[in-house]
Amino acid sequence: MKSPVADIALNPRGLLYDNSVAHRLAKALARHGVTHIFGQSLPSMVILAGEHYGIEQIAYRQENTGGYMADGYARASGKVAVLTAQNGPAATLLVAPLAEALKASIPIVALVQDVARDQTDRNAFQELDHESMFRPVSKWVRRVTSAHRIEDYVDMAFVAAASGRAGPAVLLLPADLLTESAPDQFKFVTDRKASLGRYPLDRMAPAQDKIRELAQMIAQASNPVVIAGGGLHASGACSELAQLQQVAHLPVATTVMGKGSVDETHPLSIGVASYFMGRNGSTRHLGYLIAEADLIVLIGTRTNQNGTDSWKLYPKSARFVHIDIDPQEIGRNYEAIRLVGDAKLVLGELLNALGSVDLTKRAQARLALENKIKHGKAEFKAEASDLTSSDQAPIRPERVMSDLDALLTPDAMVVADASYSSIWVANYLTAQRAGMRFVTPRGLAGLGWGLPMALGVYFANPGSPVFCVVGDGGFAHAWAELETAVRKKARIVLIVLNNGILAYQKHAENIKFGDHTNACDFVPVDHTLIAKAVGANGIRVDQPDKLRDAIQTAVRFDGVTLIDVVTDPDAFPPVTWYEG
C-alpha cells in the first residue's frame, strides 16, 4: 500500500519539508504570535511543524486539562491560546473546557484532528460528528477540506476567537490533509501578513452622546456604584477604571472574575460583591452601598446568578447603565442604558467627557463615602478575626488565606479551583494594585481547573510568582498534571486545602436534605507523597504556626511546591444561601 506521504520529500530527521499543509498551518500560527501549543502530540504533524517556527508544545497528561491550561494562558497573556486534540475521546474531552471559555469569554483556537477525507461516514476509527459536538460550546467551527484554504481558515479562526465577545473557535483538520503538499502555485493562495493573535482584536465605542449622557448621570447621582466584571481584564481596561474611580469619586465593587480590576486597598474599593456576602464575608457590611444605589454602572459583566446572588443583590429602584462588548448581555437581566463597546475605549472616552461636567457633588460626597467603606471593612476584619488568626487544628481556611495574603506581592498571580477555593480567595486575599490577576473558572465553575489553569498562567508569565489554591476534591481531578509541572520546570506554589470531603457538596446537601451522599467523604490522602513521587517538593502542614514558613519555603524553591494543609471540614464560607 502506498504511503500517503510517499511523494513528499523528507528532511534528515524524517520530517516533512515545509511544503506540507501542516507547515503552512504552523507558519500561519507563528504569524499570529503563537509561541505555545497545548496538546498531546496529535495532530502530530502540526506539533512537529510548529517546532520549525519556534512553537513549543506543552504536553499535558489528562486530555481535558489541556483546555484548562489554554484557558489560563489566554487570560494571563492577552493572547489567543492554541490547543490541539485528536479526534474521538480527546476531542470529546475538550467540550467542558471550551464551554467554560465560551461562558467566560476566553479566546482559544482548538485544532482538532479529524478522520481522513476519504474515510468520512465509514465508521472510521474514533470518527464522530465533531462539528455538531463543538457547535454549542464554541463561537465558530469549521472543517478544512482543501489545502489551498488552510491560511484562510486559520485566520478566520483567530478572528472568531479574538473579535467581539471573545471565545473558542474550532478548526477540524482531516489527518490526510495535514500531510498533503501545499505548494505556492495553489489557486487563490495569497501571502497573508496580518497578525491576529491578540485580543480584543477590534475595539469599538458607542456614540458620543451616550457617553456624555453617562457622564452627566454620574455627576448628578447621589449614590452611584460601579460593578466591574471580567470584561475589564479582557479589555485591558484596569488603568482606565482606576482613573474613573479616582476622578469621579466612585465606589467600585467587582465580580469574582473582575477581582483585581481595581486596587482593593483604595479607599473607594468595596471588594467582591457576589453570592457570598454572608457572615464573615469581606463585603458583608458594605452591601448596603449597593442596596441604596440610585445609579449602577455595570462594566463587562454577564449579571449571572452567582454574581448577583441569584439576582437579589441589585436594587430594583436603581437606574442601570451597562457597558459591554456583547450587545445581547446588555439588558438581559437588568434593563439598562446601552453602551455597546470595548471597556477600555469606552472608559477612556468617558474620562474625557467627565472633564466637561461638574463633579462637585461627587467630590463633596467622597469623604463620607470613604469613611463608610473604611468602617465596613473594619467590621469585617473584627468579625472574621477569630478565624483569620485562629490557632485551631485542623486549620481554618481563613487562616491559610490570611497568611498567604500577608506574603503576596503586587506582581503575584493567584489561581483558584472552583467551589470553596474561589470563595476563600475572593474574600480573604487582597488585590494590591489595579490589574492584579485572580484567575478562577467562573464560566461553568467545574472542579479540576485549578492546577492546569495555574500552569497556563505560569507559561504566559514565567517571571511572576504564581500561587494556586485548590481543594482536595478538585485537585483529585488533575493530580497527573504535577508531572507536567515538574517536566516543564514550572515554578508554582500549590496550596491544597485538604479537609477530606467534597465540602460544597456535603454542606449544601446537609442543609437542603438533612443528609449527604456517600460521594462526599474521602479516605485520608497525604498529597505530599504524590508530589514527591513525580519529583515535586511537598510540605505537609497540620499546625497553623507552620503556614508562613511553608509558603516562604515554597516561594524560594525553584520548581513546583505542593503544600498539603490539613483543614477543618466544618469550615463554611460566607455563602448567603447557607444563612437563608
Side-chain angles (χ1 to χ4, degrees):
M1 178 178 177
K2 184 179 179 180
S3 167
V5 297
D7 295 329
I8 303 176
L10 302 178
N11 67 21
R13 286 185 60 196
L15 302 179
L16 298 173
Y17 275 124
D18 59 5
N19 63 344
S20 73
V21 169
H23 280 79
R24 289 284 287 270
L25 189 154
K27 184 178 180 180
L29 295 179
R31 170 164 55 87
H32 296 313
V34 176
T35 55
H36 296 79
I37 290 179
F38 298 87
Q40 274 191 328
S41 294
L42 286 167
S44 301
M45 275 297 300
V46 173
I47 302 298
L48 293 170
E51 293 178 359
H52 294 190
Y53 296 93
I55 300 174
E56 178 185 2
Q57 178 190 7
I58 307 298
Y60 47 84
R61 295 299 298 269
Q62 297 174 218
E63 290 175 325
N64 53 329
T65 58
Y68 313 156
M69 290 183 196
D71 185 319
Y73 180 88
R75 297 191 200 206
S77 67
K79 297 169 63 176
V80 178
V82 175
L83 171 68
T84 65
Q86 181 184 359
N87 49 295
T92 63
L93 288 168
L94 291 188
V95 170
L98 293 186
E100 166 71 27
L102 182 67
K103 296 289 284 185
S105 308
I106 310 302
I108 294 173
V109 169
L111 305 174
V112 179
Q113 180 173 289
D114 207 348
V115 299
R117 288 165 289 183
D118 64 352
Q119 297 174 355
T120 302
D121 293 329
R122 299 186 67 188
N123 289 329
F125 181 60
Q126 296 182 336
E127 182 182 13
L128 279 174
D129 181 0
H130 293 105
E131 289 188 64
S132 296
M133 181 178 72
F134 285 123
R135 198 165 288 118
V137 296
S138 64
K139 288 181 64 180
W140 180 95
V141 56
R142 295 291 189 278
R143 187 172 189 260
V144 187
T145 58
S146 300
H148 71 271
R149 297 297 308 279
I150 189 64
E151 291 186 36
D152 300 348
Y153 277 104
V154 169
D155 284 18
M156 281 189 275
F158 273 82
V159 169
S163 62
R165 177 174 173 174
V170 181
L171 199 58
L172 302 174
L173 304 166
D176 63 317
L177 173 73
L178 295 171
T179 60
E180 185 175 311
S181 177
D184 289 337
Q185 63 263 32
F186 261 124
K187 189 179 180 182
F188 305 128
V189 166
T190 58
D191 186 16
R192 290 179 173 267
K193 295 182 173 63
S195 183
L196 307 169
R198 301 199 71 87
Y199 70 97
L201 187 57
D202 307 303
R203 296 187 187 271
M204 63 186 74
Q208 286 294 315
D209 60 333
K210 290 274 191 178
I211 292 174
R212 288 192 294 268
E213 180 184 4
L214 176 55
Q216 288 290 348
M217 292 174 68
I218 290 172
Q220 296 166 8
S222 298
N223 300 299
V225 172
V226 173
I227 308 291
L232 272 298
H233 289 296
S235 174
C238 298
S239 176
E240 286 77 9
L241 179 59
Q243 293 178 60
L244 177 66
Q245 182 181 39
Q246 185 66 19
V247 168
H249 319 286
L250 288 170
V252 179
T254 75
T255 65
V256 178
M257 281 191 65
K259 184 178 175 69
S261 56
V262 289
D263 180 352
E264 290 179 333
T265 68
H266 190 283
L268 289 174
S269 292
I270 294 172
V272 177
S274 189
Y275 66 104
F276 40 67
M277 297 171 71
R279 182 169 177 78
N280 301 313
S282 61
T283 52
R284 171 182 172 83
H285 300 286
L286 293 170
Y288 73 95
L289 294 177
I290 298 172
E292 296 176 358
D294 60 342
L295 173 65
I296 295 180
V297 182
L298 304 166
I299 311 175
T301 171
R302 295 172 290 149
T303 62
N304 64 353
Q305 182 173 12
N306 285 352
T308 60
D309 196 10
S310 295
W311 306 285
K312 296 179 295 186
L313 184 58
Y314 307 153
K316 294 180 180 179
S317 58
R319 296 183 69 189
F320 289 86
V321 176
H322 199 158
I323 301 168
D324 203 280
I325 194 67
D326 185 349
Q328 288 190 301
E329 291 301 334
I330 300 175
R332 180 190 289 273
N333 294 309
Y334 299 91
E335 188 172 4
I337 294 174
R338 304 173 58 83
L339 275 79
V340 180
D342 171 72
K344 185 179 182 70
L345 194 57
V346 174
L347 294 184
E349 296 287 348
L350 178 59
L351 285 166
N352 291 334
L354 286 169
S356 302
V357 301
D358 184 0
L359 293 171
T360 301
K361 184 175 182 180
R362 298 294 329 123
Q364 290 175 342
R366 177 165 180 155
L367 181 59
L369 181 58
E370 288 184 355
N371 286 334
K372 289 178 181 178
I373 293 174
K374 181 179 180 180
H375 180 70
K377 290 183 176 180
E379 284 189 284
F380 155 65
K381 288 183 178 179
E383 181 179 81
S385 62
D386 288 346
L387 301 176
T388 55
S389 62
S390 172
D391 290 328
Q392 81 163 60
I395 303 169
R396 291 288 305 198
E398 298 92 340
R399 171 65 188 270
V400 181
M401 294 299 100
S402 178
D403 282 14
L404 174 58
D405 194 47
L407 297 173
L408 290 180
T409 55
D411 63 332
M413 307 188 79
V414 181
V415 182
D417 210 331
S419 196
Y420 280 2
S421 296
S422 293
I423 302 175
W424 299 128
V425 163
N427 275 279
Y428 293 96
L429 298 186
T430 307
Q432 300 177 23
R433 65 175 177 87
M436 187 172 176
R437 289 311 305 266
F438 295 83
V439 178
T440 55
R442 306 308 301 171
L444 291 184
L447 285 175
W449 262 256
L451 175 58
M453 285 186 80
L455 282 165
V457 167
Y458 169 80
F459 294 125
N461 296 274
S464 297
V466 178
F467 297 85
C468 181
V469 178
V470 301
D472 54 337
F475 181 49
H477 289 248
W479 283 348
E481 301 313 333
L482 276 172
E483 188 276 336
T484 304
V486 172
R487 172 167 35 88
K488 301 303 293 186
K489 297 180 172 58
R491 293 191 64 181
I492 295 173
V493 177
L494 173 64
I495 298 175
V496 180
L497 303 177
N498 185 356
N499 59 11
I501 62 171
L502 199 59
Y504 212 154
Q505 190 73 20
K506 184 173 184 176
H507 293 164
E509 286 181 358
N510 284 340
I511 291 172
K512 190 172 183 178
F513 305 114
D515 199 359
H516 59 273
T517 59
N518 62 17
C520 298
D521 297 299
F522 309 139
V523 299
V525 177
D526 184 343
H527 297 92
T528 64
L529 299 180
I530 300 171
K532 292 173 182 177
V534 297
N537 189 26
I539 305 172
R540 190 168 175 85
V541 178
D542 57 11
Q543 296 297 323
D545 61 349
K546 305 296 183 183
L547 279 167
R548 291 205 186 189
D549 285 346
I551 298 170
Q552 289 172 329
T553 298
V555 170
R556 291 192 295 266
F557 183 68
D558 188 18
V560 60
T561 296
L562 183 153
I563 305 175
D564 193 30
V565 185
V566 181
T567 54
D568 183 2
D570 294 323
F572 282 67
V575 176
T576 52
W577 176 72
Y578 287 169
E579 299 180 353

